[in-house]
Amino acid sequence: MPRAGESWGRYPRVEQRMVRLVDRDAAMPAFDGHALPHGNGRSYGDSCLDPGGTLLHARGLDRFIAFDPATGILRCEAGVTLAEIIELVLPLGWFLPVTPGTRYVTVGGAIANDVHGKNHHRVGTFGHHVRSLELLRSDGSRRNLVPGASGGWFEATVGGLGLTGLVTWAELQLRRVPGPYLETENVRFGNLDEFFALSRESADRFEYSVAWIDCLASGHACGRGHFTRADHATQLLSKRPPAPGQGLAIPLTPPVSMVNRLTLRPFNAAYYWRQPAPRKRQTSHLLPFFYPLDGIRDWNRMYGPNGFLQYQCVLPPSEAHAGIAALLAEIAKSGSGSFLAVLKEFGGRPSPGMLSFPRAGTTLALDFPNTGDSVLQLLGRLDRIVDEAGGAIYPAKDARMPGASFRRAYPRWTDFRDFVDPRLSSGLWRRVME
Ligand SMILES: Cc1cc2nc3c(=O)[nH]c(=O)nc-3n(C[C@H](O)[C@H](O)[C@H](O)COP(=O)(O)OP(=O)(O)OC[C@H]3O[C@@H](n4cnc5c(N)ncnc54)[C@H](O)[C@@H]3O)c2cc1C
């Protein structure tokens, strides 16, 4: 029976079937028409949805297969979440080499979107740390894939949007850490020039860096925000910051979005001025640093019944300053946007996947309540700025990018097509291939 499904952005809502997978050695389940592997549904738009098809729900493939605490090599099933990996390995002095802003994603999902983290400028993407994986195709065949030696299958599958087959297990190289704490420094900055200066200054000195910006500030204050940079704490601490507790929850979906013109401007201004000193250093547990939103359960309900759209793009270095300024001016003019707009500079390490999103340049990410035509028109105007700058939009966050923008920004889609499993598809894929 088809049933209503949605992704993290709760837009769009589609009808699809679902099959739950629990055994990595079992044959590919039978399904009518087309299907799509599914992880934990933490993508925002329609890249993890298959309207009219069947989701192959892989979260039940949740077993660890092997872990060597001497080398940090972990083999696990693809439905294991990053949260489960952290729980296993952090007490043993290991951590994820790359992590996105939520730990509730699966290994399969992290591979299929070749996700990035706050240390992209140092270590590249999640895919750079995958040593091998198994791919199950809809015809029942299995392939063991390794980087650079599997005839392009590995490079198609990393960042391959789940379209090359089902990843059943993967082997990852984790990174050593001295403990669960970070030395962080938070620097308030007044505009985009200061952001770029801080970013340049931090790249060689800090492993992690990211900025929150006030997307409604305009004129001379355009791009103002807080720049956070951090390294793993190496000192033995006499006073240990506590591990985060249970946190808050949004218990119900409010009838209208809590993020709107009335709430956004005062929240952003108050957040900007929350730290009286221009610089603040502290030692903190790594969980709230990497996963600030994981502390609020079901925060995606905050945007009301119509959901929201995330917009994440990257602009190449030569166009980044002017292009980000133009995007922010357009957003400020609209009065729409989110509490947290994130700005970060990617490093130059080429991503391993044919369709990977990360590339050298500056990435901007923010949410917009789904207000219908007005938000779609705004995002269309942002697309034009990104297209003119030669940038790219992140498929994992997208529900509406035009096919022409995708094909321009991901020119290797023509090579990638040869690796697509003929029985797998997604809402996003059909849309951008039209
Ligand atoms: C709060 C929040 C913060 C985020 N921060 C970041 C960030 O900093 N950086 C970043 O890069 N992303 C970020 N994301 C996006 C998220 O990391 C990706 O969308 C991720 O791919 C979601 O993984 P998932 O397990 O939920 O997979 P899903 O969303 O269910 O699926 C994602 C893709 O993976 C495919 N897939 C899933 N499992 C398999 C499998 N076993 N085999 C083959 N394909 C599979 C699906 O077909 C789909 O194409 C964030 C998301 C949230 C909600």
Side-chain angles (χ1 to χ4, degrees):
M1 261 274 287
R3 53 184 206 186
E6 59 190 26
S7 64
W8 190 248
R10 310 185 74 202
Y11 171 84
R13 273 185 207 133
V14 304
E15 294 280 312
Q16 53 195 358
R17 294 182 172 76
M18 188 181 288
V19 181
R20 289 183 193 280
L21 312 179
V22 290
D23 179 359
R24 70 174 182 274
D25 295 321
M28 182 63 103
F31 56 85
D32 289 334
H34 43 81
L36 180 71
H38 189 76
N40 210 23
R42 257 36 182 204
S43 301
Y44 286 70
D46 57 356
S47 66
C48 64
L49 301 176
D50 185 17
T54 302
L55 291 189
L56 307 172
H57 206 294
R59 175 70 183 106
L61 302 178
D62 58 358
R63 288 163 198 82
F64 290 112
I65 301 169
F67 177 58
D68 180 351
T71 60
I73 295 174
L74 170 76
R75 187 179 281 211
C76 65
E77 292 183 346
V80 169
T81 63
L82 302 189
E84 289 161 347
I85 295 179
I86 295 170
E87 230 173 276
L88 174 80
V89 304
L90 190 56
L92 302 171
W94 294 93
F95 188 61
L96 300 159
V98 166
T99 179
T102 171
R103 61 193 184 280
Y104 299 122
V105 307
T106 63
V107 167
I111 291 172
N113 276 322
D114 196 13
V115 300
H116 58 272
K118 298 178 175 64
N119 56 356
H120 180 273
H121 59 285
R122 285 278 181 91
V123 304
T125 65
F126 194 85
H128 281 119
H129 309 274
V130 178
R131 292 166 49 92
S132 60
L133 60 87
E134 183 187 67
L135 190 68
L136 173 60
R137 301 269 291 175
S138 67
D139 63 8
S141 61
R142 286 173 193 266
R143 290 167 187 266
N144 279 347
L145 309 183
V146 291
S150 300
W153 282 95
F154 182 89
E155 291 69 25
T157 298
V158 169
L161 305 168
L163 297 166
T164 63
L166 175 81
V167 176
T168 57
W169 58 259
E171 192 172 276
L172 313 175
Q173 174 64 63
L174 303 181
R175 59 150 297 161
R176 255 198 197 290
V177 290
Y181 302 107
L182 294 170
E183 303 283 5
T184 67
E185 186 177 34
N186 198 50
V187 186
R188 203 177 62 218
F189 59 92
N191 54 40
L192 268 189
D193 289 343
E194 290 179 28
F195 163 79
F196 282 105
L198 275 164
S199 221
R200 266 195 309 275
E201 167 201 320
S202 308
D204 293 336
R205 290 178 45 213
F206 293 88
E207 169 156 4
Y208 302 103
S209 68
V210 69
W212 166 84
I213 58 166
D214 175 357
C215 63
L216 295 187
S218 53
H220 183 65
C222 171
R224 73 177 181 180
H226 288 258
F227 194 97
T228 305
R229 44 200 194 178
D231 280 314
H232 290 277
T234 48
Q235 303 286 322
L236 283 178
L237 306 174
S238 55
K239 287 200 191 76
R240 295 181 174 202
Q246 249 328 88
L248 307 166
I250 308 280
L252 295 169
T253 302
V256 293
S257 171
M258 289 158 70
V259 184
N260 55 46
R261 280 168 194 263
L262 288 180
T263 56
L264 198 54
R265 204 172 283 281
F267 176 91
N268 277 4
Y271 192 88
Y272 179 71
W273 291 111
R274 81 189 197 283
Q275 177 186 304
R279 266 167 209 260
K280 187 175 163 194
R281 285 197 188 158
Q282 60 185 9
T283 306
S284 61
H285 197 276
L286 55 72
L287 291 181
F289 174 82
F290 286 118
Y291 313 112
L293 288 170
D294 285 354
I296 310 172
R297 196 154 38 85
D298 298 328
W299 64 262
N300 57 344
R301 290 180 175 170
M302 195 165 67
Y303 289 90
N306 296 330
F308 64 103
L309 294 100
Q310 174 149 123
Y311 196 85
Q312 180 167 4
C313 61
V314 55
L315 304 186
S318 58
E319 307 298 320
H321 199 307
I324 298 286
L327 290 168
L328 290 176
E330 196 61 61
I331 294 164
K333 206 163 63 185
S334 79
S336 190
S338 55
F339 292 149
L340 285 178
V342 174
L343 199 56
K344 152 124 198 101
E345 278 203 83
F346 283 149
R349 188 172 180 189
S351 292
M354 291 177 187
L355 298 187
S356 294
F357 163 72
R359 59 201 71 189
T362 306
T363 182
L364 171 70
L366 72 167
D367 300 332
F368 295 93
N370 177 16
T371 51
D373 277 353
S374 62
V375 74
L376 294 176
Q377 282 166 16
L378 167 65
L379 300 188
R381 295 197 292 278
L382 303 187
D383 289 346
R384 282 195 282 283
I385 297 170
V386 173
D387 282 339
E388 272 168 28
I393 296 165
Y394 190 7
K397 310 281 183 81
D398 178 62
R400 28 88 18 227
M401 95 169 94
S405 298
F406 176 85
R407 295 191 298 272
R408 180 196 50 73
Y410 297 88
R412 293 192 69 195
W413 69 272
T414 49
D415 304 327
F416 174 76
R417 247 186 334 189
D418 296 341
F419 296 90
V420 173
D421 187 308
R423 296 202 59 206
L424 299 186
S425 186
S426 67
L428 176 131
W429 189 241
R430 291 195 285 282
R431 184 161 51 76
V432 299
M433 285 296 113
E434 256 166 27

